[in-house]
């Protein structure tokens, strides 16, 4: 009895996030088909997070390469580039409106993902495809096994599968480490009507309300809600001591870390709708890189997970996907040359952004916060 051969995909991407979808779209523009495999059961199986600021020199460049820049501009959140910086007493220390000339327009992550998904053939992504095993074969090819017992082989395997990538161990033994900061996320729905005080505090775009070692980071979303990231510098086990199944008890435990903060700021958690969501912030070592391994590479968080304090993660994932797609299109007969060219550009760019993100974390939560952030914004405007 013979076993049927596994399906073969010349280019296979594990992960249908922003980076993987951008790669598939750029390849599609150049007449190259990619197969994407994502563990989510469906495109809408989970919420996609909040707002993203897409930078003109990275994320927007990727969307230009994907032929989607004009459609992106049609979807941006008007006014979303506004920013406010408050101290723990609620005093405004810096404020800037969105006059439409900034280079970092805001878009809902879900809308951007929908734009990318809608630009691809309907059968590009296989949903509910959790990778359980990846093994190298001869000639740079790889065999991938899925949780349902099926699998496939591929000539080019791309790990676009995030922080805890199943593909990364093929090229690197590095694992993300806790950065010392934990988030608790909260939402306030229909803010202008139901939470007008919080809507006023946050403003039209992004809020930073900071004190030593902690703060509230919040932004207004396109559906009129406020999304709040409550940040605390704490031991890794801090979140384990909070019962997030008890909403009021969880709010009390989090707000205990914000004694002395203005009540208008504390209301961003106290008045939150729905459950609070804990999240530890992890990062790979700044400058993470690997030696060239035939037939496989990484992009986005799988390659260079960093803290969110420079706003670079999504932008780098988009640019990684676009540049890898362009490299593969430019070297159709020599994928190793394509992968080497892509990594040569990606490694130094990611290292610089990771270092900037680490500096941003130190800046936001240092002992004289929010003065460092205020100085940064004022210096940027000079």
């Amino acid at each position: 009895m013979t076993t049927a051969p596994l399906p073969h995909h010349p280019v296979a991407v594990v992960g249908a996030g922003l980076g993987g979808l951008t790669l598939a779209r750029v390849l599609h523009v150049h007449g190259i088909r990619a197969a994407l495999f994502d563990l989510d059961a469906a495109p809408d199986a989970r919420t996609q997070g909040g707002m993203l600021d897409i930078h003109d020199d990275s994320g927007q460049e990727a969307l230009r390469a994907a032929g989607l820049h004009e459609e992106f501009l049609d979807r941006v959140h008007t006014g979303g580039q506004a920013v406010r910086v408050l101290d723990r007493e609620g005093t405004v220390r810096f404020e800037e409106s969105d006059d439409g000339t900034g280079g970092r327009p805001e878009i809902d992550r879900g809308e951007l993902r929908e734009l990318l998904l809608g630009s691809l053939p309907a059968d590009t992504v296989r949903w509910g495809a959790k990778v359980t095993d990846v093994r190298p074969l001869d000639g740079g090819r790889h065999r991938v096994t899925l949780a349902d017992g099926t699998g496939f082989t591929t000539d080019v395997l791309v790990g676009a599968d995030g922080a805890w990538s199943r593909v990364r161990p093929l090229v690197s033994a590095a694992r993300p480490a806790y950065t010392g900061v934990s988030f608790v996320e909260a939402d306030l729905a229909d803010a202008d009507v139901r939470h007008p005080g919080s809507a006023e505090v946050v403003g039209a775009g992004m809020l930073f309300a900071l004190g030593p070692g902690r703060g509230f980071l919040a932004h207004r979303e396109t559906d009129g809600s406020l999304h709040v990231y409550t940040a605390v510098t704490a031991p890794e086990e801090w979140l384990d001591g909070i019962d997030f199944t008890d909403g009021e008890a969880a709010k009390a435990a989090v707000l205990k870390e914000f004694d002395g903060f203005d009540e208008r700021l504390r209301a961003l958690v106290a008045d939150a709708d729905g459950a609070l969501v804990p999240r530890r912030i992890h990062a790979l070592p700044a400058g993470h890189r690997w030696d060239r391994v035939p037939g496989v590479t990484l992009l986005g968080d799988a390659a260079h997970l960093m803290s969110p304090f420079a706003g670079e993660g999504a932008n780098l994932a988009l640019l990684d996907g676009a540049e890898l797609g362009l490299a593969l299109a430019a070297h159709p007969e020599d994928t190793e040359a394509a992968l080497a060219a892509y990594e040569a550009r990606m490694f130094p760019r990611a290292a610089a952004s990771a270092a900037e993100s680490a500096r941003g974390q130190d800046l936001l939560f240092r002992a004289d916060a929010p003065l460092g952030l205020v100085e940064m914004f004022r210096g940027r405007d000079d």
Side-chain angles (χ1 to χ4, degrees), residues 17 26 38 66 103 131 156 165 183 215 248 253 273 275 284 295 320 337 348 362:
V26 171
D38 196 276
V131 172
V156 178
S165 170
F183 278 0
E248 292 307 310
D273 301 304
L284 285 165
D320 288 351
D362 293 340

Side-chain angles (χ1 to χ4, degrees), residues 108 124 236 239 329:
D108 183 278
T124 300
E236 189 170 3
L239 290 173

Side-chain angles (χ1 to χ4, degrees), residues 21 68 95 129 236:
L21 291 171
L68 297 173
E95 188 164 18
E236 189 170 3

Side-chain angles (χ1 to χ4, degrees), residues 24-48:
R25 169 61 184 179
V26 171
L27 290 174
H28 177 68
V29 167
H30 290 271
I32 302 171
R33 183 172 177 81
L36 273 67
F37 298 83
D38 196 276
L39 58 80
D40 283 350
D44 57 355
R46 58 188 172 93
T47 58
Q48 293 300 309

Side-chain angles (χ1 to χ4, degrees), residues 83-88 90-96 207-211 359-360 362-366 368-382:
V83 64
R84 307 186 84 210
V85 181
L86 278 61
D87 61 24
R88 66 201 304 268
T91 302
V92 177
R93 308 300 292 268
F94 178 84
E95 188 164 18
E96 183 176 71
L207 167 74
F208 299 88
L210 306 174
R359 288 193 298 270
D362 293 340
L363 183 81
L364 261 63
F365 304 117
R366 71 190 199 189
D368 63 352
L371 294 184
L373 184 63
V374 171
E375 292 168 359
M376 186 196 80
F377 278 132
R378 287 178 175 164
R380 187 187 68 184
D381 292 340
D382 290 344

